[in-house]
Every structure is written in C-alpha cells, then in structure tokens.
Amino acid sequence: MTDTPPLDATSSPSAPAGILAALKDLEAGTLIERMRIEVMELSAERVVATMPVEGNTQPAGGLHGGATAALAETVGSYGALVHAGQGRSAVGLELSVSHHRSATAGTVTAVATALHLGRTLASYEIVVTDRDGRRLCTARLTCMVIAERGGALRARAEGLAARELGPAHSGDQGVPLAQMPVRMMLAND
C-alpha cells in the first residue's frame, strides 16, 4: 500500500494549518457538515469518522440508510484523496452498501480500510458500527485516481490557507501554502 502516516485527532497538534482543522473549513456548507460527520483518523490505509444518529434518521426514527451510505462514501473518499497525493484527485466509481441493522440513538463510527491502493484505482471496505460495537453496515467503495483539474476544492483550500495563515506562509516544501494543492495539504501535516 503506501507509507502515508495516520493522523490521529488525539495526538495531532490542533494548529490552524492542521489537517483536521483544514478539513473542517473545507467541509463548511457541505453535506458532511450538515450530517455532523467528524473525522478522527486519516491516512490512505485507514480513515475513522463518527456521525450522530440524531438528525440523520428516517421518519420511523432509525438511522437513515442514505445517511449511512454518505458516511461510508465520505470516509472512503477521504482515504482515496490522501492516497492520490499531490497533483491528483479521486472520484467515486462505485458504492455498494449492505445494511445489517439500524441504530436509533447515539453515535455511529465508520472505519474505512484500504483493500487496494493502485496507480489508478483505490478500493475500501467500510464498516459502520453502533456505540456498542455492533455492525450496522458493510460498504465497499471504489475510486478512480485522476489528474487534478483544479476546481472548487482547490480554490476553497487555497482561500482557506491564505485567510488562515497569510499568503506568505510557507509549508514544509518551501511552497506558499496558498499555492499548495489541497492534496498536499491532506497528505502532509
């Protein structure tokens, strides 16, 4: 696979340029923010995130299957983005979700584990469990790794870096952070 080091929210410094802080700002106004998905650990090999059941239910009161699928796709996609690296991006090709049981309260946890990290494809198995560790869902996501084409995500990341750190701030590579591709920000904290 790759040697991307995992990022653990409990051991990472929470500086404005920190990866988890950068993700929070990039997620502003997105479905991820509305569903209150919180990324706890991030690497190409493994991504862990949580989501509250409250606010993500169907009318009958159980966790909505679409919310579970969105959580699964989020964690797998973040892993694929880290794997893609600088100058590349990842787009979803296929998501398969099997629901085993539902939750009616608490927080659910999704763990994405890389199955394949190749030059053009990244595949993940995602397991979603309830607060008691019972499996609610098993999902599989395949993403295509592509050349980055710029766009909204890059613009938001560059704007965030310039606003938070100033345009003259330099990252480890000696490149002004405002000019650093978002993939590099994700892979190097």
Side-chain angles (χ1 to χ4, degrees):
M1 296 206 203
T2 73
D3 59 355
T4 307
L7 178 65
D8 183 83
T10 61
S11 64
S12 282
S14 57
I19 184 76
L20 297 177
L23 283 177
K24 288 307 277 174
D25 284 339
L26 288 172
E27 293 166 353
T30 68
L31 180 64
I32 297 165
E33 180 185 57
R34 283 189 287 285
M35 294 177 69
R36 297 177 290 163
I37 295 172
E38 298 284 335
V39 178
M40 309 304 288
E41 182 182 323
L42 177 63
S43 73
E45 291 82 12
R46 178 180 154 97
V47 180
V48 179
T50 61
M51 179 182 74
V53 172
E54 181 183 358
N56 293 307
T57 60
Q58 54 183 278
L63 180 61
H64 196 291
T68 307
L71 173 62
E73 186 165 10
T74 298
V75 293
S77 293
Y78 275 163
L81 286 172
V82 173
H83 169 64
Q86 180 181 359
R88 299 188 308 164
S89 188
V91 295
L93 291 179
E94 180 181 21
L95 174 66
S96 171
V97 181
S98 295
H99 301 284
H100 309 297
R101 64 175 3 126
S102 186
T104 57
T107 300
V108 296
T109 301
V111 178
T113 304
L115 299 173
H116 173 77
L117 296 175
R119 186 176 52 83
T120 58
L121 293 177
S123 297
Y124 290 84
E125 177 185 57
I126 301 101
V127 175
V128 180
T129 56
D130 65 12
R131 63 183 170 200
D132 297 322
R134 294 178 298 197
R135 188 179 292 227
L136 305 178
C137 165
T138 304
R140 182 183 209 118
L141 175 69
T142 301
C143 293
M144 181 185 303
V145 177
I146 60 171
E148 188 171 15
R149 292 177 264 170
L153 184 60
R154 175 190 285 263
R156 289 180 76 184
E158 290 174 352
L160 164 68
R163 184 176 72 246
E164 294 285 334
L165 303 170
H169 185 278
S170 293
D172 292 340
Q173 293 76 23
V175 177
L177 204 51
Q179 297 172 7
M180 190 179 295
V182 69
R183 302 305 163 249
M184 182 179 282
M185 288 173 53
L186 290 173
N188 299 315
D189 182 39

